[in-house]
């Protein structure tokens, strides 16, 4: 969501946030000076002018192993890809490719094994030693290096996992890629309808943002909503790249997530930073993870700290990033896989929610690169979903009260069809519309299409939707607001009435 509403942020924010703190029993913190907006700088990973290391400095090479699709059946093929970015090779370099110890499938499950598949893909600038698994790339090698494997017949669902390691230069951002031989199906469940409780993304520093109070969580649960999306900014929970979590800041989130668990309400934690993260050596600026000076590993470790904190609450889901848009889908999926691997290394089994790039639009899913590249997203535990957003105004930005005729059902169709084609689970993480009759009709059409495409067994489809937006810092005049004002006893806005028509029945 484009935050055009920033002019509202100064409106009685102190009183609202202080009230929220008091409700959870938190002490009111001392007022501090607001942080300055971060400086934005980027270096495109796909630039032809990739940097080389200065003499005496280690190369900035970043390695990643990806695979083309999440699952295959008998006779289907998967392509593995080894990527090297951010550094132009000046001499031959090697790394090892092997089957990972977590793999439950083996070469016998493919028409040709790993060594044969790699050998078939070799060219004059890449060599391979099958006895050791060492791949050597000359300075003229073209990345990614790809090889394809075709599944033979198998009797049960298995996972075939490869790993790259023992790299001579640079660092490995994404070490593993796995393919499911069989179905990724998960048990059927009614799709969860819910709300964005969005005020945690309103600013940086004390009194500039707010999380929902207990009354908001309980109100949503009492109405029958099954999920809350909870935006936060990494700057408010971590002071710098590689630093520990800010304990005082996390204690503001803890009771919200605990109350969600108590009310059996899913809370989708949403890092609302549009694809950016701190520079490795400066908290005053941000850039794209995976580019020189911004470590994928550091962002992944931040998520690992969050995962360790909430891994015992299955009602907490991890939304890795809101609306990346300056990196390509390929660049973003590498960052996403690094984060997912770090989360799973903590032992956390919470659901991971991958977002696409290009503002994560459902209607642009096939034209943005997401439809191809996000298939490469890899969760070692297999408990994941994909998130897309969709607004119904002219440019899909969610900044107008005018809805386009027919947009409600049509705009989510590309994302819906992708989920169904590949039997994947999806969430519409942001949808929103104004209160006028035309928008209410289009909003209802969107909800009907969403509900009709619910995930059933291994057919793929939707498991959730969260409307944008509610939250304590929104002005009463916000055109997409879906909560009573004054909260919770004021008049019910039309958007809330429309949403309530589509609430699934939840067990008592």
């Amino acid at each position: 969501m484009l935050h055009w509403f920033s002019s509202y942020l100064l409106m009685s924010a102190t009183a609202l946030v202080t009230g929220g703190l008091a409700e959870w029993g938190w002490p009111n913190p001392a007022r501090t000076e607001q942080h300055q907006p971060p400086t934005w700088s980027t270096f495109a990973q796909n630039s032809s002018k990739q940097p080389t290391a200065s003499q005496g400095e280690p190369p900035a090479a970043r390695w990643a192993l990806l695979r083309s699709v999440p699952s295959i059946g008998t006779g289907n093929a998967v392509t593995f890809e080894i990527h090297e970015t951010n550094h132009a090779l000046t001499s031959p370099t090697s790394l090892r490719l092997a089957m990972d110890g977590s793999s439950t499938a083996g070469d016998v499950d493919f028409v040709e094994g790993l060594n044969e598949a790699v050998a078939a893909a070799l060219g004059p600038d890449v060599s391979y030693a099958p006895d050791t698994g060492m791949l050597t790339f000359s300075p003229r090698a073209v990345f990614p290096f790809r090889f394809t494997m075709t599944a033979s017949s198998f009797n049960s669902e298995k996972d075939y996992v490869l790993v790259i390691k023992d790299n001579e230069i640079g660092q490995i951002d994404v070490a593993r890629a796995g393919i499911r031989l069989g179905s990724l199906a998960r048990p059927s469940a009614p799709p969860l309808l819910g709300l964005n409780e969005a005020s945690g993304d309103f600013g940086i520093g004390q009194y500039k943002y707010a999380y929902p109070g207990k009354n908001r969580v309980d109100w949503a649960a009492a109405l029958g909503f099954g999920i809350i999306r909870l935006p936060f900014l990494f700057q408010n929970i971590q002071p710098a790249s590689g630093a520990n979590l800010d304990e005082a800041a996390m204690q503001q989130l803890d009771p919200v997530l605990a109350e969600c668990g108590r009310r059996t309400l899913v809370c989708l934690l949403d890092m609302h930073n549009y694809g950016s993260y701190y520079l490795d050596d400066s908290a005053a600026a941000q850039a794209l993870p995976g580019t020189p000076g911004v470590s994928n590993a550091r962002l992944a470790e931040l998520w690992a700290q969050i995962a360790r904190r909430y891994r015992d609450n299955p009602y907490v889901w991890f939304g890795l990033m809101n609306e990346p848009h300056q990196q390509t889908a390929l660049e973003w999926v590498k960052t996403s896989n690094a984060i997912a691997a770090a989360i799973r290394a903590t032992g956390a089994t919470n659901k991971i929610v991958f977002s696409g790039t290009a503002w994560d639009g459902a209607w642009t899913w096939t034209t943005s690169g997401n439809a191809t590249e996000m298939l490469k997203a890899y969760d070692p535990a297999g408990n994941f979903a994909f998130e897309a957003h969709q607004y119904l105004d002219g440019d899909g930005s969610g900044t107008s009260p005018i809805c386009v005729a027919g947009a409600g059902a049509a705009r989510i169709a590309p994302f819906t069809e992708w989920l169904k084609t590949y039997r994947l689970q999806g969430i519409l993480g942001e949808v929103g519309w104004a209160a006028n009759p035309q928008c209410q009709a289009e909003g209802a059409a969107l909800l009907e299409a969403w509900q009709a495409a619910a995930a059933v067994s291994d057919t793929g489809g939707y498991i959730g939707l969260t409307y944008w937006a509610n939250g304590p810092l929104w002005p009463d005049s916000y055109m997409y607001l879906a909560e009573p004002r004054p909260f919770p006893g004021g008049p019910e806005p039309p958007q809330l009435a429309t949403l309530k028509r589509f609430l699934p029945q939840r067990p008592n």
Side-chain angles (χ1 to χ4, degrees):
M1 176 69 176
L2 297 175
H3 284 212
W4 58 273
F5 52 81
S6 58
S7 60
Y8 292 117
L9 297 186
L10 298 179
M11 56 158 292
S12 61
T14 300
L16 284 166
V17 177
T18 302
L21 293 171
E23 182 178 10
W24 290 115
W26 302 324
N28 293 334
R31 183 185 296 274
T32 60
E33 183 178 356
Q34 185 179 17
H35 294 257
Q36 294 298 313
T39 302
W40 183 263
S41 60
T42 65
F43 183 94
Q45 284 182 311
N46 58 351
S47 169
S48 61
K49 298 179 179 179
Q50 293 190 3
T52 57
S54 302
Q55 187 169 359
E57 295 181 359
R62 304 286 181 89
W63 298 93
L65 176 64
L66 304 175
R67 50 94 176 105
S68 58
V69 289
S71 64
I72 56 174
T74 299
N76 298 138
V78 59
T79 297
F80 289 91
E81 306 174 352
I82 297 175
H83 292 253
E84 186 275 324
T85 55
N86 293 349
H87 174 70
L89 298 181
T90 57
S91 61
T93 190
S94 299
L95 82 169
R96 190 184 309 276
L97 173 68
M99 191 185 307
D100 189 65
S102 64
S103 187
T104 55
D107 283 355
V108 68
D109 296 300
F110 293 88
V111 175
E112 292 184 325
L114 177 60
N115 286 342
E116 291 80 7
V118 173
L122 295 176
D125 299 315
V126 183
S127 62
Y128 179 63
D131 55 333
T132 63
M134 294 303 294
L135 278 162
T136 301
F137 303 95
S138 83
R140 295 181 303 277
V142 176
F143 291 96
F145 172 73
R146 295 184 174 97
F147 59 95
T148 299
M149 303 180 71
T150 301
S152 60
S153 60
F154 47 88
N155 298 323
S156 61
E157 293 180 344
K158 305 176 183 180
D159 291 295
Y160 186 72
V161 185
L162 298 181
V163 61
I164 54 174
K165 54 188 177 180
D166 300 337
N167 47 306
E168 291 182 338
I169 65 168
Q171 64 186 62
I172 295 177
D173 279 350
V174 183
R176 291 171 178 81
I179 180 76
R180 169 64 58 86
L181 303 183
S183 173
L184 282 167
R186 302 192 64 81
S188 299
L192 301 174
L193 181 61
L195 307 156
N196 278 269
E197 277 290 341
S199 289
D201 55 319
F202 268 45
I204 300 169
Q206 292 174 345
Y207 300 102
K208 306 304 179 186
Y209 67 95
Y211 299 125
K214 180 178 183 298
N215 63 332
R216 289 180 167 274
V217 177
D218 294 346
W219 172 80
L223 286 178
F225 289 108
I227 183 171
I228 287 174
R229 185 170 179 255
L230 184 60
F232 69 96
L233 298 177
F234 66 73
Q235 299 97 320
N236 286 327
I237 66 169
Q238 185 188 43
S241 175
N244 291 331
L245 295 173
D246 183 314
E247 184 60 28
M250 295 306 295
Q251 287 177 8
Q252 297 176 33
L253 271 173
D254 289 346
V256 185
L257 303 186
E259 183 67 8
C260 283
R262 191 182 74 82
R263 298 302 301 258
T264 66
L265 190 72
V266 168
C267 186
L268 174 55
L269 272 180
D270 158 46
M271 186 176 285
H272 213 83
N273 286 94
Y274 300 93
S276 70
Y277 187 58
Y278 290 126
L279 297 182
D280 289 346
D281 59 1
S282 173
Q286 302 168 26
L288 305 184
T291 57
V294 187
S295 171
N296 276 329
R298 295 276 188 90
L299 176 56
E301 174 53 28
L302 169 58
W303 266 111
Q305 292 187 64
I306 296 170
R308 280 189 285 270
R309 193 176 189 99
Y310 299 122
R311 62 189 171 191
D312 294 328
N313 185 346
Y315 292 96
V316 178
W317 293 1
F318 300 141
L320 304 188
M321 184 65 72
N322 177 72
E323 296 184 354
H325 58 278
Q326 291 204 347
Q327 53 270 82
T328 67
L330 176 59
E331 291 159 359
W332 177 243
V333 79
K334 295 175 189 176
T335 301
S336 299
N337 286 1
I339 296 171
I343 289 172
R344 295 307 183 213
T346 70
T349 59
N350 311 60
K351 188 176 290 293
I352 289 174
V353 180
F354 295 104
S355 61
T357 189
W359 302 101
D360 205 16
W363 66 333
T364 60
W365 195 258
T366 56
T367 59
S368 61
N370 287 331
T372 298
E373 303 301 343
M374 293 314 298
L375 288 174
K376 300 171 185 176
Y378 176 52
D379 168 20
N383 185 19
F384 64 97
F386 293 90
E387 178 180 330
H389 297 174
Q390 193 57 62
Y391 293 93
L392 307 180
D393 51 347
D395 61 0
S397 64
T399 58
S400 169
I402 301 173
C403 292
V404 174
R411 285 192 175 176
I412 67 170
F415 184 58
T416 304
E417 292 169 5
W418 183 80
L419 294 172
K420 292 293 186 180
T421 297
Y422 293 100
R423 300 181 177 183
L424 300 169
Q425 294 184 343
I427 296 170
L428 292 176
E430 290 184 19
V431 300
W433 51 84
N436 60 70
Q438 170 70 18
C439 284
Q440 290 308 300
E442 292 300 333
L446 183 151
L447 290 166
E448 288 171 357
W450 166 78
Q451 197 170 64
V456 178
S457 185
D458 65 348
T459 63
Y462 291 109
I463 61 169
L465 178 150
T466 48
Y467 179 89
W468 185 277
N470 289 4
L473 295 188
W474 289 100
D476 295 349
S477 59
Y478 179 46
M479 62 185 172
Y480 290 178
L481 194 66
E483 66 178 44
R485 290 291 176 89
F487 184 86
E492 184 175 277
Q495 293 95 326
L496 179 58
T498 298
L499 289 167
K500 287 168 66 175
R501 288 167 43 198
F502 293 87
L503 283 170
Q505 295 297 316
R506 300 185 69 219
N508 293 328

